[in-house]
Amino acid sequence: MQTYLDFEKPISDLEGKIHELKKLASEDESIDTSEEIGRLESRVREATREIYAKLGAWEKTQVARHPQRPHFVDYAAKLFTDFTPLAGDRNFGEDAAIQSGLARFNGMPVAVIGQEKGHDTKTRLKHNFGSPRPEGYRKAIRVMEMADRFGLPVITLVDTAGAYPGVGAEERGQAEAIARSTEMCLAVKVPMISIVIGEGGSGGAIAIATGNRVYMLEHAIYSVISPEGAASILWRDSTRAREAATNMKITAEDLKGLGIIDEIIPEPLGGAHREPDTVIAATGKVIASALQDMSNLSGEELRAARRQKFLDIGRNL
Amino acid sequence: MNWITNYVRPRINSMLGRPNRDVPENLWIKCPETGEMVFHKDLEENKWVIPASGYHMKMPAKARLKDLFDGGHIESLQQPKVAQDPLKFRDSKRYADRLKDSRVKTEQEDTILAGIGQVQGLKLVAVVHEFNFIGGSLGMAAGEAIVRACERAVSEKCPLVIFPASGGARMQEGILSLMQLPRTTVAVNMLKEAGLPYVVVLTNPTTGGVTASYAMLGDVHIAEPGAEIGFAGKRVIEQTLREKLPEGFQTSEYLLEHGMVDMVVKRHDIPSTLAKILKMLTKQPVQQAVAVPVAVSA
C-alpha cells in the first residue's frame, strides 16, 4: 500500500482511479479499461514530474522522512555482499539505531556504519526510530578504529532525525559520544565516504558524516536542527516549520551551493521510495568512483585531506 | 581595533566615571537561588559569585580573561574575518540585525574572546564564550576563532584552556554552524598531536552542539558549581519521555557523579587549579623560577 504525502494528492487521486479501473476490469472481463488506464498512467507520470520538479525544502523534508524510503538495511542488502553486522560498544550495550558491520563492496572488504529507522512498528521500536544513544556512537567508534587498523574503507549511511534525547543517554554522555565519534571519523587513515540517504539530523548525523567525500540524495535533508525544532525555538511557533526549513537551507542543492557536500545523487522520479533499487544502484556507482579516486592516496594523505576539507568549509563564502 | 576596544575605550569610560558595559543597568542583582539582593560592585568584586549563597552568575568574557591572567595582562587574539550571514537568515528578526545588536551590547565582534598570557607564571591561550552574544552560540566566527586560537597555542607550544558558555550551535547559520563541530574537533586535535594539554572549564550553560564537540574533548574537564551542562534541552527530553527529570539533572554535580567531568571547582579557585594541572602536564617544576612576560597589550 503506497503512502502518499499531502502534496502528492493529484498523484494519489489518479492512482486511486487506476486502482478502481483495474478492480472493475478484474470483476467484469467485458469492460476494456486498458486505454483509459494507459491514459491515466501517463497523467500520473506527468503530475509526478511536475510536483517533484518544484519540491520546496519542507516537501523534501516529507520525502526524506517517507516511511517507505529505502533505509540502511535496504542499502546493506543490495550494495554489499557478505554483510556481517557487528554489535555492541563493549561498554554498556547494543544500540540498534546504529547498524555497523563488515561487508564486501564489489569484492573489496569495507566497514559500513549507518542509522536505521525501521519500517514498521516493531522494527521502528527496535531501532528507536533511528535515534541513537551513546552506545550506538561508541559502537561506531569501535568499528571505525578497527577499520583503520585493518585498512578497510569506511562507508557511512546517514539517516537520523537526531541523537536520542533521553535521561539515560545524557547520563551516559551523549554529547561526549558524538564528539568522540566525529573525532574518530576525522582521524582514520582510510578512505571514508558518507552519504546522507534521508535525514541528516544535527549532531546525531555529523557524528558519522565527516567523510573524505560527503554526498546527499536528491531529496535528502541535512540540518543543524529539525525544521520543527527551529520553528519552536526561533519563532516560538512549531507550525512555522515550513518557513524554518526554507530559511535554514537544508536541501541537497542548498548544501552543494554552500560547498558542504561534494555531489548530489539523483533520485528516481517521485522519490527514492518509488524505485529503491534504482537509487541504491546510483549510490553504489558514486561509492565505487569515490573509492577509485582515493585509491592512490596514502593513509596520512587521506586523513590530512579530510581534515583540510572540513577546515576549508565556509572560508570561501 | 583591539587596542582601542580593550584599552582606550575602558580607560575613557573609567575616566568619565562610566560603568563598564559588563555591568547591568540594574545596580542591584538578585540571587537566582535565594532571592538575596547584591550590589553590582560587590558582585563584580566577588567574580560574579553571590557572596552569601555561592551561586555562580554568568561572568562576562572580558572579566573572565582579565581575572584569569596574571595581573590582567592579556594579548588579545583577533577575531578572524568570516562571511557574515551567508544564508541571509531571518526569523522573527533579521540575523544581520541580531549581530548588530549583539555587537553593540557586548562590544565584541562575536561570542569568542581569546587571549594569550600567563596564569601563575604559565603561558597559555584562553578562549572564552560571551554568553550575551546570541547565547554564546557557535557559528562560523566562533569556530574560526577557536581554530585560530588552537593554531596559536601550537605555534607558541603552550596549553589551551576554553571556557564555554553556550546554548549550542547558532541556528541562524544553519548547516554552516553544524560544520563547526568537525572544524573545532580538528582544531583541538592539533593540540593533542602537538602534545599540548587542552582543558575545558564548563560554565553555565554549556549545551547542544558545543558539548557535542570541543567542550567534551578535553584532557581534563573542570566544571563550575551548578552549571547546566548537557546535550539535549531539558524541555525536549521531558516532552520525549513525558515524565519529570531527576533532581539536579544536567548540572555540574550530576555530571561529576556520572563520570563526565573530573571535578567541580569554585570560580575563585579555577586559575590556581588550572595552573597546578597544566604545570604537571607540561612537566614544569613546582615553582616557576622566572615568569617571562609575553607581549602585553599596551
Side-chain angles (χ1 to χ4, degrees), chain A residues 170-171 173 175 179 183 224 233 235 247 249 260 307 310-311 314-315, chain B residues 87 89-91 140 144 171 174 177 183 189 193 211-212 231-232 250 254:
Chain A
E170 291 286 317
E171 287 176 342
E183 189 177 40
V224 66
I233 295 174
W235 281 269
N247 294 8
K249 308 240 190 314
I260 311 273
R307 287 164 52 139
F310 281 89
L311 283 180
R315 279 182 173 164
Chain B
L87 304 188
F89 192 85
R90 164 173 215 141
D91 45 73
M140 298 169 78
E144 195 65 22
M171 284 171 283
S177 70
R183 295 185 82 245
N189 273 280
E193 277 150 34
T211 54
F231 176 63
Q250 290 185 330
Y254 198 86

PDB file of all heavy atoms in Angstrom, chain A residues 170-171 173 175 179 183 224 233 235 247 249 260 307 310-311 314-315, chain B residues 87 89-91 140 144 171 174 177 183 189 193 211-212 231-232 250 254:
ATOM      1  N   GLU A 170      21.753  11.030  28.212  1.00  0.00           N
ATOM      2  CA  GLU A 170      22.503  12.171  28.751  1.00  0.00           C
ATOM      3  C   GLU A 170      23.478  11.699  29.826  1.00  0.00           C
ATOM      4  O   GLU A 170      24.627  12.110  29.865  1.00  0.00           O
ATOM      5  CB  GLU A 170      21.542  13.207  29.336  1.00  0.00           C
ATOM      6  CG  GLU A 170      20.688  13.933  28.307  1.00  0.00           C
ATOM      7  CD  GLU A 170      21.471  14.956  27.500  1.00  0.00           C
ATOM      8  OE1 GLU A 170      22.274  15.700  28.074  1.00  0.00           O
ATOM      9  OE2 GLU A 170      21.276  14.999  26.277  1.00  0.00           O
ATOM     10  N   GLU A 171      22.974  10.819  30.701  1.00  0.00           N
ATOM     11  CA  GLU A 171      23.808  10.358  31.811  1.00  0.00           C
ATOM     12  C   GLU A 171      25.027   9.593  31.321  1.00  0.00           C
ATOM     13  O   GLU A 171      26.089   9.634  31.927  1.00  0.00           O
ATOM     14  CB  GLU A 171      22.988   9.448  32.745  1.00  0.00           C
ATOM     15  CG  GLU A 171      21.987  10.221  33.575  1.00  0.00           C
ATOM     16  CD  GLU A 171      21.110   9.326  34.427  1.00  0.00           C
ATOM     17  OE1 GLU A 171      21.026   8.107  34.154  1.00  0.00           O
ATOM     18  OE2 GLU A 171      20.501   9.858  35.381  1.00  0.00           O
ATOM     19  N   GLY A 173      26.553  10.210  28.594  1.00  0.00           N
ATOM     20  CA  GLY A 173      27.445  11.063  27.812  1.00  0.00           C
ATOM     21  C   GLY A 173      27.143  11.106  26.325  1.00  0.00           C
ATOM     22  O   GLY A 173      28.025  10.914  25.499  1.00  0.00           O
ATOM     23  N   ALA A 175      26.680  13.666  24.442  1.00  0.00           N
ATOM     24  CA  ALA A 175      27.498  14.688  23.789  1.00  0.00           C
ATOM     25  C   ALA A 175      28.927  14.195  23.591  1.00  0.00           C
ATOM     26  O   ALA A 175      29.511  14.350  22.518  1.00  0.00           O
ATOM     27  CB  ALA A 175      27.494  15.967  24.629  1.00  0.00           C
ATOM     28  N   ALA A 179      30.936  13.659  20.083  1.00  0.00           N
ATOM     29  CA  ALA A 179      32.211  14.352  19.845  1.00  0.00           C
ATOM     30  C   ALA A 179      33.319  13.354  19.519  1.00  0.00           C
ATOM     31  O   ALA A 179      34.105  13.564  18.591  1.00  0.00           O
ATOM     32  CB  ALA A 179      32.579  15.193  21.069  1.00  0.00           C
ATOM     33  N   GLU A 183      35.418  12.838  16.091  1.00  0.00           N
ATOM     34  CA  GLU A 183      36.881  12.856  16.184  1.00  0.00           C
ATOM     35  C   GLU A 183      37.469  11.630  15.470  1.00  0.00           C
ATOM     36  O   GLU A 183      38.462  11.743  14.745  1.00  0.00           O
ATOM     37  CB  GLU A 183      37.267  12.860  17.669  1.00  0.00           C
ATOM     38  CG  GLU A 183      38.736  13.104  17.929  1.00  0.00           C
ATOM     39  CD  GLU A 183      39.032  13.163  19.427  1.00  0.00           C
ATOM     40  OE1 GLU A 183      38.461  12.360  20.196  1.00  0.00           O
ATOM     41  OE2 GLU A 183      39.844  14.019  19.831  1.00  0.00           O
ATOM     42  N   VAL A 224      21.092  21.641  10.962  1.00  0.00           N
ATOM     43  CA  VAL A 224      21.597  21.798  12.325  1.00  0.00           C
ATOM     44  C   VAL A 224      20.523  21.488  13.359  1.00  0.00           C
ATOM     45  O   VAL A 224      20.802  21.117  14.486  1.00  0.00           O
ATOM     46  CB  VAL A 224      22.185  23.216  12.529  1.00  0.00           C
ATOM     47  CG1 VAL A 224      21.105  24.285  12.436  1.00  0.00           C
ATOM     48  CG2 VAL A 224      22.918  23.338  13.848  1.00  0.00           C
ATOM     49  N   ILE A 233      11.917  27.131  18.470  1.00  0.00           N
ATOM     50  CA  ILE A 233      12.887  27.951  19.205  1.00  0.00           C
ATOM     51  C   ILE A 233      12.942  29.374  18.643  1.00  0.00           C
ATOM     52  O   ILE A 233      12.875  30.349  19.385  1.00  0.00           O
ATOM     53  CB  ILE A 233      14.285  27.307  19.179  1.00  0.00           C
ATOM     54  CG1 ILE A 233      14.254  25.975  19.939  1.00  0.00           C
ATOM     55  CG2 ILE A 233      15.321  28.243  19.808  1.00  0.00           C
ATOM     56  CD1 ILE A 233      15.526  25.174  19.854  1.00  0.00           C
ATOM     57  N   TRP A 235      10.919  30.926  16.236  1.00  0.00           N
ATOM     58  CA  TRP A 235       9.655  31.659  16.057  1.00  0.00           C
ATOM     59  C   TRP A 235       8.714  31.442  17.240  1.00  0.00           C
ATOM     60  O   TRP A 235       7.658  31.998  17.295  1.00  0.00           O
ATOM     61  CB  TRP A 235       8.949  31.206  14.773  1.00  0.00           C
ATOM     62  CG  TRP A 235       9.486  31.777  13.502  1.00  0.00           C
ATOM     63  CD1 TRP A 235       9.066  32.920  12.889  1.00  0.00           C
ATOM     64  CD2 TRP A 235      10.510  31.242  12.660  1.00  0.00           C
ATOM     65  NE1 TRP A 235       9.769  33.118  11.713  1.00  0.00           N
ATOM     66  CE2 TRP A 235      10.667  32.104  11.552  1.00  0.00           C
ATOM     67  CE3 TRP A 235      11.323  30.112  12.723  1.00  0.00           C
ATOM     68  CZ2 TRP A 235      11.587  31.883  10.532  1.00  0.00           C
ATOM     69  CZ3 TRP A 235      12.240  29.890  11.722  1.00  0.00           C
ATOM     70  CH2 TRP A 235      12.373  30.762  10.645  1.00  0.00           C
ATOM     71  N   ASN A 247      14.241  28.698   5.218  1.00  0.00           N
ATOM     72  CA  ASN A 247      15.264  29.682   5.586  1.00  0.00           C
ATOM     73  C   ASN A 247      16.590  29.056   6.006  1.00  0.00           C
ATOM     74  O   ASN A 247      17.642  29.670   5.847  1.00  0.00           O
ATOM     75  CB  ASN A 247      14.744  30.583   6.713  1.00  0.00           C
ATOM     76  CG  ASN A 247      13.588  31.447   6.254  1.00  0.00           C
ATOM     77  OD1 ASN A 247      13.073  31.275   5.145  1.00  0.00           O
ATOM     78  ND2 ASN A 247      13.167  32.378   7.096  1.00  0.00           N
ATOM     79  N   LYS A 249      18.040  26.496   4.734  1.00  0.00           N
ATOM     80  CA  LYS A 249      18.770  25.921   3.605  1.00  0.00           C
ATOM     81  C   LYS A 249      19.275  24.512   3.929  1.00  0.00           C
ATOM     82  O   LYS A 249      20.419  24.307   4.304  1.00  0.00           O
ATOM     83  CB  LYS A 249      19.963  26.812   3.208  1.00  0.00           C
ATOM     84  CG  LYS A 249      19.583  28.277   2.977  1.00  0.00           C
ATOM     85  CD  LYS A 249      19.899  28.698   1.574  1.00  0.00           C
ATOM     86  CE  LYS A 249      19.798  30.181   1.294  1.00  0.00           C
ATOM     87  NZ  LYS A 249      18.657  30.902   1.771  1.00  0.00           N
ATOM     88  N   ILE A 260      29.210  22.323   1.114  1.00  0.00           N
ATOM     89  CA  ILE A 260      29.245  21.370   2.228  1.00  0.00           C
ATOM     90  C   ILE A 260      29.321  19.934   1.712  1.00  0.00           C
ATOM     91  O   ILE A 260      29.930  19.086   2.330  1.00  0.00           O
ATOM     92  CB  ILE A 260      27.963  21.519   3.099  1.00  0.00           C
ATOM     93  CG1 ILE A 260      27.704  22.969   3.458  1.00  0.00           C
ATOM     94  CG2 ILE A 260      27.985  20.583   4.303  1.00  0.00           C
ATOM     95  CD1 ILE A 260      28.362  23.484   4.673  1.00  0.00           C
ATOM     96  N   ARG A 307      40.700  16.402   6.950  1.00  0.00           N
ATOM     97  CA  ARG A 307      40.716  17.493   7.925  1.00  0.00           C
ATOM     98  C   ARG A 307      40.713  18.848   7.231  1.00  0.00           C
ATOM     99  O   ARG A 307      40.001  19.773   7.637  1.00  0.00           O
ATOM    100  CB  ARG A 307      41.920  17.348   8.849  1.00  0.00           C
ATOM    101  CG  ARG A 307      41.709  16.198   9.815  1.00  0.00           C
ATOM    102  CD  ARG A 307      42.969  15.733  10.489  1.00  0.00           C
ATOM    103  NE  ARG A 307      43.718  16.802  11.110  1.00  0.00           N
ATOM    104  CZ  ARG A 307      44.311  16.692  12.305  1.00  0.00           C
ATOM    105  NH1 ARG A 307      44.222  15.584  12.990  1.00  0.00           N
ATOM    106  NH2 ARG A 307      44.994  17.692  12.788  1.00  0.00           N
ATOM    107  N   PHE A 310      37.300  19.909   5.898  1.00  0.00           N
ATOM    108  CA  PHE A 310      36.370  20.499   6.870  1.00  0.00           C
ATOM    109  C   PHE A 310      36.841  21.864   7.356  1.00  0.00           C
ATOM    110  O   PHE A 310      36.024  22.766   7.569  1.00  0.00           O
ATOM    111  CB  PHE A 310      36.064  19.508   7.999  1.00  0.00           C
ATOM    112  CG  PHE A 310      35.060  18.493   7.558  1.00  0.00           C
ATOM    113  CD1 PHE A 310      35.464  17.310   6.950  1.00  0.00           C
ATOM    114  CD2 PHE A 310      33.710  18.772   7.640  1.00  0.00           C
ATOM    115  CE1 PHE A 310      34.530  16.402   6.463  1.00  0.00           C
ATOM    116  CE2 PHE A 310      32.769  17.875   7.157  1.00  0.00           C
ATOM    117  CZ  PHE A 310      33.178  16.689   6.568  1.00  0.00           C
ATOM    118  N   LEU A 311      38.157  22.025   7.503  1.00  0.00           N
ATOM    119  CA  LEU A 311      38.640  23.366   7.891  1.00  0.00           C
ATOM    120  C   LEU A 311      38.278  24.396   6.830  1.00  0.00           C
ATOM    121  O   LEU A 311      37.996  25.547   7.137  1.00  0.00           O
ATOM    122  CB  LEU A 311      40.162  23.340   8.103  1.00  0.00           C
ATOM    123  CG  LEU A 311      40.657  22.720   9.400  1.00  0.00           C
ATOM    124  CD1 LEU A 311      42.188  22.777   9.452  1.00  0.00           C
ATOM    125  CD2 LEU A 311      40.067  23.419  10.623  1.00  0.00           C
ATOM    126  N   GLY A 314      33.201  26.920   4.434  1.00  0.00           N
ATOM    127  CA  GLY A 314      32.753  28.256   4.824  1.00  0.00           C
ATOM    128  C   GLY A 314      33.782  29.354   4.622  1.00  0.00           C
ATOM    129  O   GLY A 314      33.463  30.532   4.737  1.00  0.00           O
ATOM    130  N   ARG A 315      35.030  28.971   4.350  1.00  0.00           N
ATOM    131  CA  ARG A 315      36.061  30.010   4.246  1.00  0.00           C
ATOM    132  C   ARG A 315      35.959  30.804   2.947  1.00  0.00           C
ATOM    133  O   ARG A 315      36.519  31.886   2.842  1.00  0.00           O
ATOM    134  CB  ARG A 315      37.453  29.389   4.382  1.00  0.00           C
ATOM    135  CG  ARG A 315      37.826  29.158   5.842  1.00  0.00           C
ATOM    136  CD  ARG A 315      39.217  28.597   5.987  1.00  0.00           C
ATOM    137  NE  ARG A 315      39.596  28.558   7.402  1.00  0.00           N
ATOM    138  CZ  ARG A 315      40.608  27.847   7.884  1.00  0.00           C
ATOM    139  NH1 ARG A 315      41.358  27.130   7.068  1.00  0.00           N
ATOM    140  NH2 ARG A 315      40.892  27.864   9.171  1.00  0.00           N
TER     141      ARG A 315
ATOM    142  N   LEU B  87      23.450  32.919   4.845  1.00  0.00           N
ATOM    143  CA  LEU B  87      22.133  32.389   4.461  1.00  0.00           C
ATOM    144  C   LEU B  87      21.103  33.513   4.315  1.00  0.00           C
ATOM    145  O   LEU B  87      19.971  33.264   3.939  1.00  0.00           O
ATOM    146  CB  LEU B  87      21.624  31.387   5.501  1.00  0.00           C
ATOM    147  CG  LEU B  87      22.497  30.186   5.844  1.00  0.00           C
ATOM    148  CD1 LEU B  87      21.734  29.218   6.745  1.00  0.00           C
ATOM    149  CD2 LEU B  87      22.990  29.458   4.612  1.00  0.00           C
ATOM    150  N   PHE B  89      19.643  35.031   6.707  1.00  0.00           N
ATOM    151  CA  PHE B  89      18.642  34.376   7.536  1.00  0.00           C
ATOM    152  C   PHE B  89      17.750  35.374   8.251  1.00  0.00           C
ATOM    153  O   PHE B  89      18.183  36.431   8.695  1.00  0.00           O
ATOM    154  CB  PHE B  89      19.330  33.483   8.562  1.00  0.00           C
ATOM    155  CG  PHE B  89      18.381  32.549   9.260  1.00  0.00           C
ATOM    156  CD1 PHE B  89      18.051  31.332   8.688  1.00  0.00           C
ATOM    157  CD2 PHE B  89      17.796  32.889  10.474  1.00  0.00           C
ATOM    158  CE1 PHE B  89      17.172  30.467   9.310  1.00  0.00           C
ATOM    159  CE2 PHE B  89      16.911  32.030  11.108  1.00  0.00           C
ATOM    160  CZ  PHE B  89      16.606  30.812  10.523  1.00  0.00           C
ATOM    161  N   ARG B  90      16.515  34.962   8.366  1.00  0.00           N
ATOM    162  CA  ARG B  90      15.553  35.785   9.063  1.00  0.00           C
ATOM    163  C   ARG B  90      14.572  34.902   9.816  1.00  0.00           C
ATOM    164  O   ARG B  90      13.988  33.984   9.255  1.00  0.00           O
ATOM    165  CB  ARG B  90      14.826  36.650   8.029  1.00  0.00           C
ATOM    166  CG  ARG B  90      13.578  37.246   8.536  1.00  0.00           C
ATOM    167  CD  ARG B  90      12.993  38.213   7.552  1.00  0.00           C
ATOM    168  NE  ARG B  90      12.413  39.249   8.389  1.00  0.00           N
ATOM    169  CZ  ARG B  90      12.433  40.526   8.131  1.00  0.00           C
ATOM    170  NH1 ARG B  90      12.956  40.963   7.040  1.00  0.00           N
ATOM    171  NH2 ARG B  90      11.907  41.373   8.968  1.00  0.00           N
ATOM    172  N   ASP B  91      14.427  35.150  11.107  1.00  0.00           N
ATOM    173  CA  ASP B  91      13.316  34.507  11.823  1.00  0.00           C
ATOM    174  C   ASP B  91      12.379  35.619  12.246  1.00  0.00           C
ATOM    175  O   ASP B  91      11.900  36.359  11.401  1.00  0.00           O
ATOM    176  CB  ASP B  91      13.809  33.622  12.990  1.00  0.00           C
ATOM    177  CG  ASP B  91      14.876  34.270  13.840  1.00  0.00           C
ATOM    178  OD1 ASP B  91      14.530  35.192  14.598  1.00  0.00           O
ATOM    179  OD2 ASP B  91      16.047  33.850  13.762  1.00  0.00           O
ATOM    180  N   MET B 140      30.096  30.429  12.525  1.00  0.00           N
ATOM    181  CA  MET B 140      31.356  30.437  11.768  1.00  0.00           C
ATOM    182  C   MET B 140      32.431  31.273  12.460  1.00  0.00           C
ATOM    183  O   MET B 140      33.606  30.910  12.462  1.00  0.00           O
ATOM    184  CB  MET B 140      31.099  30.992  10.363  1.00  0.00           C
ATOM    185  CG  MET B 140      30.131  30.141   9.570  1.00  0.00           C
ATOM    186  SD  MET B 140      29.613  30.975   8.072  1.00  0.00           S
ATOM    187  CE  MET B 140      31.055  30.697   7.058  1.00  0.00           C
ATOM    188  N   GLU B 144      35.898  29.657  13.706  1.00  0.00           N
ATOM    189  CA  GLU B 144      37.178  30.117  13.152  1.00  0.00           C
ATOM    190  C   GLU B 144      38.081  30.657  14.266  1.00  0.00           C
ATOM    191  O   GLU B 144      39.297  30.442  14.258  1.00  0.00           O
ATOM    192  CB  GLU B 144      36.919  31.185  12.077  1.00  0.00           C
ATOM    193  CG  GLU B 144      38.106  31.492  11.181  1.00  0.00           C
ATOM    194  CD  GLU B 144      38.544  30.329  10.292  1.00  0.00           C
ATOM    195  OE1 GLU B 144      37.729  29.418  10.026  1.00  0.00           O
ATOM    196  OE2 GLU B 144      39.722  30.314   9.895  1.00  0.00           O
ATOM    197  N   MET B 171      21.696  28.594  15.193  1.00  0.00           N
ATOM    198  CA  MET B 171      20.735  28.125  14.193  1.00  0.00           C
ATOM    199  C   MET B 171      20.617  29.059  12.988  1.00  0.00           C
ATOM    200  O   MET B 171      20.331  28.622  11.890  1.00  0.00           O
ATOM    201  CB  MET B 171      19.374  27.951  14.847  1.00  0.00           C
ATOM    202  CG  MET B 171      19.317  26.715  15.694  1.00  0.00           C
ATOM    203  SD  MET B 171      17.796  26.669  16.643  1.00  0.00           S
ATOM    204  CE  MET B 171      18.169  27.830  17.925  1.00  0.00           C
ATOM    205  N   GLY B 174      22.453  27.936  10.100  1.00  0.00           N
ATOM    206  CA  GLY B 174      22.057  26.648   9.532  1.00  0.00           C
ATOM    207  C   GLY B 174      23.170  25.619   9.561  1.00  0.00           C
ATOM    208  O   GLY B 174      23.888  25.473  10.556  1.00  0.00           O
ATOM    209  N   SER B 177      26.704  26.250  10.830  1.00  0.00           N
ATOM    210  CA  SER B 177      27.004  26.182  12.257  1.00  0.00           C
ATOM    211  C   SER B 177      27.276  24.735  12.666  1.00  0.00           C
ATOM    212  O   SER B 177      28.169  24.466  13.460  1.00  0.00           O
ATOM    213  CB  SER B 177      25.874  26.795  13.089  1.00  0.00           C
ATOM    214  OG  SER B 177      24.730  25.995  13.043  1.00  0.00           O
ATOM    215  N   ARG B 183      34.939  21.118  12.575  1.00  0.00           N
ATOM    216  CA  ARG B 183      36.046  22.081  12.430  1.00  0.00           C
ATOM    217  C   ARG B 183      36.756  22.272  13.772  1.00  0.00           C
ATOM    218  O   ARG B 183      37.981  22.273  13.849  1.00  0.00           O
ATOM    219  CB  ARG B 183      35.532  23.427  11.897  1.00  0.00           C
ATOM    220  CG  ARG B 183      34.964  23.319  10.485  1.00  0.00           C
ATOM    221  CD  ARG B 183      34.578  24.670   9.905  1.00  0.00           C
ATOM    222  NE  ARG B 183      35.743  25.346   9.361  1.00  0.00           N
ATOM    223  CZ  ARG B 183      36.242  26.475   9.825  1.00  0.00           C
ATOM    224  NH1 ARG B 183      35.666  27.074  10.850  1.00  0.00           N
ATOM    225  NH2 ARG B 183      37.306  27.013   9.276  1.00  0.00           N
ATOM    226  N   ASN B 189      42.308  18.673  18.003  1.00  0.00           N
ATOM    227  CA  ASN B 189      43.224  17.571  17.704  1.00  0.00           C
ATOM    228  C   ASN B 189      44.607  18.067  17.304  1.00  0.00           C
ATOM    229  O   ASN B 189      45.586  17.336  17.431  1.00  0.00           O
ATOM    230  CB  ASN B 189      42.621  16.627  16.674  1.00  0.00           C
ATOM    231  CG  ASN B 189      41.760  15.580  17.351  1.00  0.00           C
ATOM    232  OD1 ASN B 189      42.273  14.593  17.873  1.00  0.00           O
ATOM    233  ND2 ASN B 189      40.463  15.821  17.412  1.00  0.00           N
ATOM    234  N   GLU B 193      47.891  16.449  18.966  1.00  0.00           N
ATOM    235  CA  GLU B 193      49.016  15.919  18.196  1.00  0.00           C
ATOM    236  C   GLU B 193      50.307  16.641  18.515  1.00  0.00           C
ATOM    237  O   GLU B 193      51.388  16.069  18.399  1.00  0.00           O
ATOM    238  CB  GLU B 193      48.710  16.012  16.707  1.00  0.00           C
ATOM    239  CG  GLU B 193      47.882  14.820  16.277  1.00  0.00           C
ATOM    240  CD  GLU B 193      46.971  15.139  15.131  1.00  0.00           C
ATOM    241  OE1 GLU B 193      47.354  15.964  14.272  1.00  0.00           O
ATOM    242  OE2 GLU B 193      45.850  14.571  15.097  1.00  0.00           O
ATOM    243  N   THR B 211      28.691  21.036  23.442  1.00  0.00           N
ATOM    244  CA  THR B 211      29.083  19.848  24.210  1.00  0.00           C
ATOM    245  C   THR B 211      29.402  18.691  23.268  1.00  0.00           C
ATOM    246  O   THR B 211      30.227  17.850  23.599  1.00  0.00           O
ATOM    247  CB  THR B 211      27.978  19.365  25.182  1.00  0.00           C
ATOM    248  OG1 THR B 211      26.775  19.163  24.468  1.00  0.00           O
ATOM    249  CG2 THR B 211      27.760  20.327  26.319  1.00  0.00           C
ATOM    250  N   ALA B 212      28.737  18.667  22.114  1.00  0.00           N
ATOM    251  CA  ALA B 212      28.963  17.555  21.185  1.00  0.00           C
ATOM    252  C   ALA B 212      30.220  17.757  20.347  1.00  0.00           C
ATOM    253  O   ALA B 212      30.410  17.091  19.330  1.00  0.00           O
ATOM    254  CB  ALA B 212      27.747  17.368  20.290  1.00  0.00           C
ATOM    255  N   PHE B 231      23.495  17.761  26.469  1.00  0.00           N
ATOM    256  CA  PHE B 231      23.368  17.780  25.007  1.00  0.00           C
ATOM    257  C   PHE B 231      21.960  18.234  24.608  1.00  0.00           C
ATOM    258  O   PHE B 231      21.780  19.284  24.017  1.00  0.00           O
ATOM    259  CB  PHE B 231      23.681  16.404  24.430  1.00  0.00           C
ATOM    260  CG  PHE B 231      23.487  16.327  22.949  1.00  0.00           C
ATOM    261  CD1 PHE B 231      24.262  17.103  22.100  1.00  0.00           C
ATOM    262  CD2 PHE B 231      22.532  15.496  22.384  1.00  0.00           C
ATOM    263  CE1 PHE B 231      24.082  17.054  20.723  1.00  0.00           C
ATOM    264  CE2 PHE B 231      22.341  15.437  21.012  1.00  0.00           C
ATOM    265  CZ  PHE B 231      23.121  16.214  20.184  1.00  0.00           C
ATOM    266  N   ALA B 232      20.970  17.459  24.976  1.00  0.00           N
ATOM    267  CA  ALA B 232      19.593  17.789  24.594  1.00  0.00           C
ATOM    268  C   ALA B 232      18.979  18.717  25.633  1.00  0.00           C
ATOM    269  O   ALA B 232      19.297  18.644  26.814  1.00  0.00           O
ATOM    270  CB  ALA B 232      18.774  16.509  24.484  1.00  0.00           C
ATOM    271  N   GLN B 250      21.530  17.237  34.622  1.00  0.00           N
ATOM    272  CA  GLN B 250      22.327  18.132  33.760  1.00  0.00           C
ATOM    273  C   GLN B 250      23.008  19.274  34.520  1.00  0.00           C
ATOM    274  O   GLN B 250      23.237  20.332  33.952  1.00  0.00           O
ATOM    275  CB  GLN B 250      21.487  18.689  32.602  1.00  0.00           C
ATOM    276  CG  GLN B 250      21.124  17.622  31.566  1.00  0.00           C
ATOM    277  CD  GLN B 250      20.406  18.170  30.360  1.00  0.00           C
ATOM    278  OE1 GLN B 250      19.693  19.171  30.462  1.00  0.00           O
ATOM    279  NE2 GLN B 250      20.561  17.533  29.223  1.00  0.00           N
ATOM    280  N   TYR B 254      25.864  16.630  38.893  1.00  0.00           N
ATOM    281  CA  TYR B 254      25.265  15.424  38.313  1.00  0.00           C
ATOM    282  C   TYR B 254      26.238  14.788  37.317  1.00  0.00           C
ATOM    283  O   TYR B 254      26.407  13.571  37.269  1.00  0.00           O
ATOM    284  CB  TYR B 254      23.963  15.827  37.623  1.00  0.00           C
ATOM    285  CG  TYR B 254      22.989  14.707  37.345  1.00  0.00           C
ATOM    286  CD1 TYR B 254      22.080  14.305  38.316  1.00  0.00           C
ATOM    287  CD2 TYR B 254      22.961  14.078  36.109  1.00  0.00           C
ATOM    288  CE1 TYR B 254      21.163  13.298  38.059  1.00  0.00           C
ATOM    289  CE2 TYR B 254      22.052  13.070  35.836  1.00  0.00           C
ATOM    290  CZ  TYR B 254      21.154  12.690  36.808  1.00  0.00           C
ATOM    291  OH  TYR B 254      20.237  11.690  36.550  1.00  0.00           O
TER     292      TYR B 254
END
